[in-house]
Amino acid sequence: MAGSSIGCIFRVTTWGESHGSAIGAVVDGCPSGIVLDTAFIQSFLNRRKPGQSEFTTKRTESDEVEILSGVFDGKTTGTPISLIIRNRDMHFSDYDDLKDVFRPGHADYTYEMKYGIRDYRGGGRSSGRETAARVAAGAVAMAFLRTKGIHFLTYTKSIGNITVPISDYHLAEISENSLYMPSNVYAAKASDLIKEAVAEKNSVGGIIEGQVYDLQAGIGEPVFSKLDAELGKAFFSIGAVKGVEFGDGFAAATMRGSEHNDAFIIKDNGISKSTNHAGGILGGISDGSPLVYRLAVKPTASIAQPQNTVNNNKEAVSLNIKGRHDPCIVPRAVVVAEAMAAITIADLLLLKY
Amino acid sequence: MAGSSIGCIFRVTTWGESHGSAIGAVVDGCPSGIVLDTAFIQSFLNRRKPGQSEFTTKRTESDEVEILSGVFDGKTTGTPISLIIRNRDMHFSDYDDLKDVFRPGHADYTYEMKYGIRDYRGGGRSSGRETAARVAAGAVAMAFLRTKGIHFLTYTKSIGNITVPISDYHLAEISENSLYMPSNVYAAKASDLIKEAVAEKNSVGGIIEGQVYDLQAGIGEPVFSKLDAELGKAFFSIGAVKGVEFGDGFAAATMRGSEHNDAFIIKDNGISKSTNHAGGILGGISDGSPLVYRLAVKPTASIAQPQNTVNNNKEAVSLNIKGRHDPCIVPRAVVVAEAMAAITIADLLLLKY
Amino acid sequence: MAGSSIGCIFRVTTWGESHGSAIGAVVDGCPSGIVLDTAFIQSFLNRRKPGQSEFTTKRTESDEVEILSGVFDGKTTGTPISLIIRNRDMHFSDYDDLKDVFRPGHADYTYEMKYGIRDYRGGGRSSGRETAARVAAGAVAMAFLRTKGIHFLTYTKSIGNITVPISDYHLAEISENSLYMPSNVYAAKASDLIKEAVAEKNSVGGIIEGQVYDLQAGIGEPVFSKLDAELGKAFFSIGAVKGVEFGDGFAAATMRGSEHNDAFIIKDNGISKSTNHAGGILGGISDGSPLVYRLAVKPTASIAQPQNTVNNNKEAVSLNIKGRHDPCIVPRAVVVAEAMAAITIADLLLLKY
Amino acid sequence: MAGSSIGCIFRVTTWGESHGSAIGAVVDGCPSGIVLDTAFIQSFLNRRKPGQSEFTTKRTESDEVEILSGVFDGKTTGTPISLIIRNRDMHFSDYDDLKDVFRPGHADYTYEMKYGIRDYRGGGRSSGRETAARVAAGAVAMAFLRTKGIHFLTYTKSIGNITVPISDYHLAEISENSLYMPSNVYAAKASDLIKEAVAEKNSVGGIIEGQVYDLQAGIGEPVFSKLDAELGKAFFSIGAVKGVEFGDGFAAATMRGSEHNDAFIIKDNGISKSTNHAGGILGGISDGSPLVYRLAVKPTASIAQPQNTVNNNKEAVSLNIKGRHDPCIVPRAVVVAEAMAAITIADLLLLKY
């Protein structure tokens, strides 16, 4: 039953409900001597927190993190790092109607089936709010990985049917638009799409893409804890993710072997690959090329239009969801994906030693 | 470093190399009292073993399994079940040339980087042959799951660009063609495609689709050991898999919330869903609808045409792969996907109790 | 490196340092629907907290626990239960001298060797204060186990050479003396012994004994996660424990098989044992008799007399420990032992289902 | 339920029953490049195998081990090492009478309660024969640890009430007597004691002591995976062990702090301890002094005299155990203890990196 931990050596445990008093994470196994402070963690939380654009929930959470243990004189001590974020702006009344109703696309029904009891306020444990704890923990992983020279780049590849083609990538623009797209031009188009969805009381999904640079070859533990296997688990553990792929991903299914195979070459006196269809992973182990992954994110389940559903008494009801919801969760999930990648890579990197 | 086990309660450990004396699996945590014999396990291994069609490797392995422990008087005893399959038809000489050469698309280079030593014969541990041990272990999981009324259907959805549309599914035909496609008509087209690839000394990939029926609601452990998260890990641990999706998967990224949300309905006095875009999983927990997943399988890395690569001395070389290889691994991987699904579900089902 | 978690299904993670802002525990995997509130947890913490007698540290900590998550409407929800206890009465200056000095019998040196950095204030993570978090988590386990009718009795068997013989056990008196001994008469003798040790600026050890009643047969997972094996781990994870035994324990080494074997008998129409030399465990599995264990606790390492030691610069120094220390830690460790037993049994009980 | 694995990074899984076709172990996570062959493993198995003295079972098992995977060109490859030992000399008829009877001191009853089915032949999975697989796996751990300069010395400290005092230790004599005692004189006395027990159709227990030399400081993972905690688990997982202690162990309970504390000193320009009451562990982490532990082993449960017990039908019966049993299991368990120590230390050593 204990599903709230991930990782073996670098192990993250999250806790907390959307409308409880706080949420948090315990990061155990972080190496000692890593420089870490709340400001660094906050910089990651700020990429996830609401209120960054007109498209995010109106719930105002500053998501201030407190470090309760594991850091001494500005450095990690090797003991568990306890991180806490207090919940502040809670509208309990928004959820009174949902006590006995199962919202489509949400985990209300399955939690009821599994546990027989649930904190229905804001989705409780199944709320996207839990991912703030992941981001805080991911920042700790990132602080460690930076000491190893490993860098992450994560962005919105698509929103609905608006996809930025690789040929139009302007990586510097990722931080210039509130949708975290690698193109301000496409971000503008995507904004229009989201506005359209809002107007029709609807929501849209999209695709997140991530790259990890300067990851040495040799990371990943065959045959079950392969790099892609552990990343796959980490990514699918994010609420709205319905698909994950590495390198060419699903496109590989239609390719010939001669197209997909990456030729090994000698470059700068080292072994490299001429292409990277594999996305940086061969046999479940990093190959020294950039790691490339994509996540398919479903449209936000909470929509403002009436929906047909049932309640706990097995009666059909019409549902009108109140509350404050993002019409597109993709931009705020970018840093969540990055955090899960960092946590996973930190763990497998430490396993390698 | 110990990556050869998967599962917590129902735990599978595989061992063995392509050209060692044997491969095998230890299945620990299988409930006691389950009827099990070698014939049942063999029926699964036969779906994976070579020689079923003109498109599979010419290596002739009968893949006979022996049960060494854990079964007494035809029933499991609750103690570990040790399964062994002897390797028989090994052509060691096929691999002499590969001792120092890194084959494109294979794990030769990454194993060398990780371990500094590798059994290069037939890919050693990274060979697809390891999956026979998974299939044997999966059969044990299946024996248990059948006592719970859970059933699996797994098949080839696509080979290259030949995709069977849902409207043309004839599930009874899956076992009628050697490609395990739910349509003999499409299987014929796919056969032509594979023949074409063989003619050009090439290989093709494809997509495997699986469905799990009569899985009760409530399986999966939020927030990290969700049903889709653990299945995602299990599927990506299969060598050639580059993408995984559940329900609508990547298509969900382009949908509106109103399209993707499955309305809850009352059916046969129980709670059900009018559609199944979610693929049977909500919030990482089974919702009682059929579980639906798809795996993107890359084209076989071993192709008969010359390829550019490098060797251990950092010299560019031209490679001609000998050996006996499948031009399309998809049909034989169908039962591997099913086995990994069964192992994962057995574990999470036992965790639920 | 992640050693701050214990348990598989019922998993406890503790965090926090003696002189950090707080300590706490996350209890993951507790079944849903268990009645739980802070008062219940507090009743366990009160058995451990300082100030219960003249023999405990003068540090005044009320050890008030706050439940941050996992409980809704007075019941557990099946999601992680986060427990926090703020540190309040810290005398940082007591520890300035210890920054570079390794106290004999403490973990200062080994933490320095392992992590290269340590929070030296009050022992940091290695402080006995960490066990408050275990007790809080143990109370959660206890709340669950009580619903299964399982009961615990734990007490001080010996302090120094003052041992209560079984023939003099008065179990009702355990809660009547501040040493938690099953005899007020022996407790008075032990008090004198402790006073004597205090007078000579010294400390004493002792033995804790515990019994678990109404534990059904069948708990424990051979061959490595046996009931005694997991309890052994849990008990030895308590700082000052140097020995653990079950049933007759070390005395069994001098017995004949005919003496030690417990004959099975029929009692009340069920199978029982005529004696309980085994301490309730056969083959690593509970046998339905009371579980009996004993822990040897070393004398408190912090003593008020000068000691020879060395510092970080490899210089011999004479050490005078300031701070507020218990001359005998045994009575306060009684509930810690009980907590670890409860956590372990909760986990193995859930594994059994 | 999956209790047949131990270790996180260096993970050992054993399988097999006393009277099945074979027993074995899979060792996963052993570093690559370690020299390993069957002769080395056999040298450990020979210390455990029957027939070494007049006091061991008459079952003649050569305990020949076969390495099925994970070793290539005489070195480990980092992939799982599968070890198999065929069972050869089985007297099935010895156990016909035991099908429905619960032997006192054995796991028959608890296995029946737990699993509802059991291989009653020779104790099945609960047989001491399973420890042969542990010894084989321990030899692999030992091969690794020797490359790190770590050495083990393990011997019989006591048999019944015959205890070798430290002042009479002659370590060279350990290998000179079949009881593995560090004194031939005491071994002769112990032999007489065992003969006496045989004459009265009885059995005796004893104490195993082990020392581990040249273990660097810093091994062990607070707060739950401490070195003593993990060793405690490993030792208590051995069938007949009823007590475990480190350093002064239970004697510490009667000592004063000033007696038990080991003063740190400077020796050979390094930090050392003047004494070793702690047994080489402080705060759950190795301190650089020799690790010292003792295990209390109960007398063999199978005795040749009639015993009262019950059967599966809840009837009182008189039991006469046939079969071939050791009157004292201690000498053969010496190498089992050493193997479990080696497996545990290998795992924690790898975790440290």
Side-chain angles (χ1 to χ4, degrees), chain B:
Chain B
M1 288 179 185
S4 289
S5 296
I6 193 165
C8 170
I9 305 289
F10 186 97
R11 189 192 290 146
V12 171
T13 303
T14 72
W15 54 268
E17 282 84 37
S18 172
H19 283 57
S21 56
I23 60 171
V26 180
V27 181
D28 195 16
C30 182
S32 58
I34 307 295
V35 173
L36 185 72
D37 60 19
T38 53
F40 182 77
I41 300 174
Q42 203 66 49
S43 69
F44 286 81
L45 284 167
N46 290 347
R47 289 167 58 196
R48 185 203 155 278
K49 80 174 178 195
Q52 300 175 71
S53 80
E54 57 184 314
F55 303 130
T56 59
T57 169
K58 296 296 173 284
R59 178 170 172 174
T60 54
E61 289 286 355
S62 55
D63 281 351
E64 272 174 65
V65 67
E66 186 185 357
I67 300 174
L68 295 172
S69 68
V71 176
F72 186 63
D73 281 349
K75 287 185 181 167
T76 59
T77 60
T79 63
I81 301 164
S82 180
L83 304 168
I84 187 171
I85 301 166
R86 293 274 168 186
N87 290 325
R88 305 207 184 274
D89 181 27
M90 295 167 282
H91 289 190
F92 296 111
S93 59
D94 284 349
Y95 299 97
D96 287 348
D97 299 349
L98 298 179
K99 191 174 173 178
D100 298 313
V101 174
F102 303 128
R103 293 170 299 165
H106 279 286
D108 302 344
Y109 173 67
T110 52
Y111 268 63
E112 188 75 31
M113 287 296 99
K114 185 175 188 69
Y115 301 111
I117 180 178
R118 66 195 163 91
D119 180 349
Y120 55 82
R121 302 164 308 172
R125 179 69 178 151
S126 72
S127 167
R129 180 140 186 76
E130 180 265 338
T131 62
R134 301 181 181 214
V135 171
V140 177
M142 205 65 82
F144 162 58
L145 293 174
R146 288 195 181 179
T147 69
K148 302 291 176 186
I150 300 169
H151 292 278
F152 293 73
L153 190 66
T154 326
Y155 43 86
T156 302
K157 167 93 181 164
S158 305
I159 286 183
N161 57 357
I162 308 294
T163 299
V164 191
I166 293 178
S167 52
D168 286 338
Y169 277 17
H170 300 279
L171 300 180
E173 297 182 8
I174 294 171
S175 56
E176 293 175 9
N177 63 80
S178 64
L179 301 181
Y180 294 107
M181 293 186 101
S183 160
N184 292 335
V185 172
Y186 281 85
K189 293 184 196 174
S191 286
D192 290 343
L193 180 73
I194 299 175
K195 279 178 200 162
E196 200 180 289
V198 171
E200 58 184 55
K201 298 189 174 183
N202 222 324
S203 63
V204 289
I207 293 175
I208 294 167
E209 188 170 81
Q211 304 193 41
V212 185
Y213 299 106
D214 300 314
L215 185 63
Q216 59 184 274
I219 311 298
E221 300 297 326
V223 293
F224 294 117
S225 295
K226 288 172 171 169
L227 178 53
D228 36 1
E230 293 296 346
L231 284 170
K233 170 177 172 170
F235 292 144
F236 275 119
S237 78
I238 303 171
V241 171
K242 300 301 288 182
V244 173
E245 60 181 18
F246 297 93
D248 287 347
F250 273 86
T254 60
M255 294 167 77
R256 290 287 199 277
S258 61
E259 288 174 280
H260 189 268
N261 281 353
D262 301 309
F264 286 105
I265 55 171
I266 303 298
K267 189 177 163 188
D268 301 337
N269 289 316
I271 293 173
S272 184
K273 287 156 48 198
S274 61
T275 52
N276 191 19
H277 296 287
I281 304 175
L282 284 171
I285 301 170
S286 62
D287 66 10
S289 297
L291 178 71
V292 181
Y293 61 85
R294 275 174 299 281
L295 315 186
V297 178
K298 72 174 186 178
T300 313
S302 288
I303 52 177
Q305 56 186 268
Q307 295 181 88
N308 294 322
T309 190
V310 302
N311 66 17
N312 219 351
N313 299 320
K314 298 189 183 173
E315 298 162 330
V317 294
S318 179
L319 170 72
N320 274 290
I321 294 179
K322 298 177 202 165
R324 305 155 292 176
H325 305 285
D326 296 60
C328 180
I329 201 69
V330 178
R332 290 178 62 201
V334 164
V335 71
V336 179
E338 187 173 298
M340 294 312 299
I343 289 167
T344 305
I345 289 170
D347 189 43
L348 290 173
L349 186 68
L350 288 167
L351 267 169
K352 201 206 158 194
Y353 291 122

Side-chain angles (χ1 to χ4, degrees), chain C residues 97-118:
Chain C
D97 298 349
L98 298 178
K99 192 174 172 178
D100 298 314
V101 174
F102 303 128
R103 292 170 300 166
H106 278 287
D108 301 343
Y109 173 67
T110 51
Y111 268 63
E112 188 75 32
M113 286 298 99
K114 184 174 188 69
Y115 301 112
I117 180 178
R118 66 194 162 93

